[in-house]
Amino acid sequence: MILTINGKQVPVEKPVSLDALVAAKGLCPEKIVVEHNLCIIAREDWPKITVKDRDMIEIISFVGGG
Amino acid sequence: MEDLLNLGGRQVKSRLLLGTGKFSSYPVMQKALEAAASDIVTVALRRVDMSTQTDNILEYIPKPCILMANTSGARTADEAVRIARLAKAGGQGNWIKIEVVRDNKYLLPDNLETLKAVEILVKEGFIVLPYMSPDLSMAKRMEEAGAAAVMPLGAPIGSNRGLKTRELVEILIREIRVPVIVDAGLGSPSDACECMEMGCAAVLVNTAIAIACDPVGMAQAFGEAVIAGRRAYLAGLASAANEASASSPLTGFLRDEAR
């Protein structure tokens, strides 16, 4: 299946939960915010969400800005 | 009595808000934040770059600072609202600088979309500080909508051109009750001092410090200029005149009478 993660098409072998996806990407959960199909998902709810084909995931973090 | 800035239900000492963009490194930024002694610091939100491991900026921002995310990148009110909600979910509080820009050349704010975002986000409990063009009607509407401050630009973002909007900002200072904070375009400590002398509640500076040869030294200079300008405002500037008024006695012994 194909996910759109941060605007890029990413092939994923099988359905995974959001927390597994974040872990697979080597991201630190405390530093990021995850949006799933335009819904912000609280960190504690990541295990409850299983991503499906064509889902849109945004993974956001704070950076420098004025 | 200590002169504190009342903003968003908080009282802070520093009237210099600092942006964190464009610094050569996070450690340099951290030293600049410390040198400026700022209490309120802006950050932005961006997609995580999966290809590189990057440091977490939050670890370089002194802990007592109030973090204010901006909505840069938003072209509509809806996009600004989306970014604000993401920022809140990031667990760094509910202060948000609304920045809605549709013009890539001058980065001038869209006041109408900004107002719409203010209305929505105030209702959701955010402390909202809109970056805006210095228009009195819009500033009043922002205030009525519950904005914690209004933040008119001095000149286009990152231009370092100084307070080009002075006359319009002066009107806001006279007519708007919430703090007026000049945000964007200030290029030198004297620009910041000028804003404070005329009665701005605070200024927000980023580029002029971040890209200076010595950002830490420049941060300190801005901090001192803001303090000096505020003191001058509180002391009340002496009035200007077209003709001279001697500050030393002109008569006494050379001749009987001053000519």
Side-chain angles (χ1 to χ4, degrees), chain B residues 136 139-140 143 150 171-180:
Chain B
L136 178 59
K140 281 190 172 167
E143 183 176 50
V150 293
I171 293 172
L172 299 192
I173 292 169
R174 283 198 295 271
E175 302 298 329
I176 298 293
R177 287 184 302 273
V178 294
V180 175

Side-chain angles (χ1 to χ4, degrees), chain A residues 5-8 25-27 30-35 38 40 43 56 58-66, chain B residues 19-21 42-48 50 53 56-58 70 82 85-87 89-90 92 97 99 206:
Chain A
I5 302 179
N6 286 358
K8 286 186 185 145
K25 294 284 171 195
L27 300 169
E30 286 73 35
K31 296 178 187 172
I32 58 172
V33 182
V34 175
E35 209 185 48
L38 298 177
I40 298 166
R43 207 166 292 141
M56 282 190 349
E58 291 285 346
I59 303 176
I60 306 290
S61 68
F62 290 103
V63 296
Chain B
T20 55
T42 65
V43 290
L45 282 178
R46 283 294 175 276
R47 284 172 165 168
V48 172
M50 308 284 183
Q53 277 285 348
N56 183 2
I57 189 171
L58 302 181
N70 68 32
R82 181 181 171 202
R85 289 172 182 159
L86 283 165
Q92 300 302 321
K97 167 181 160 179
E99 187 177 334
N206 189 162

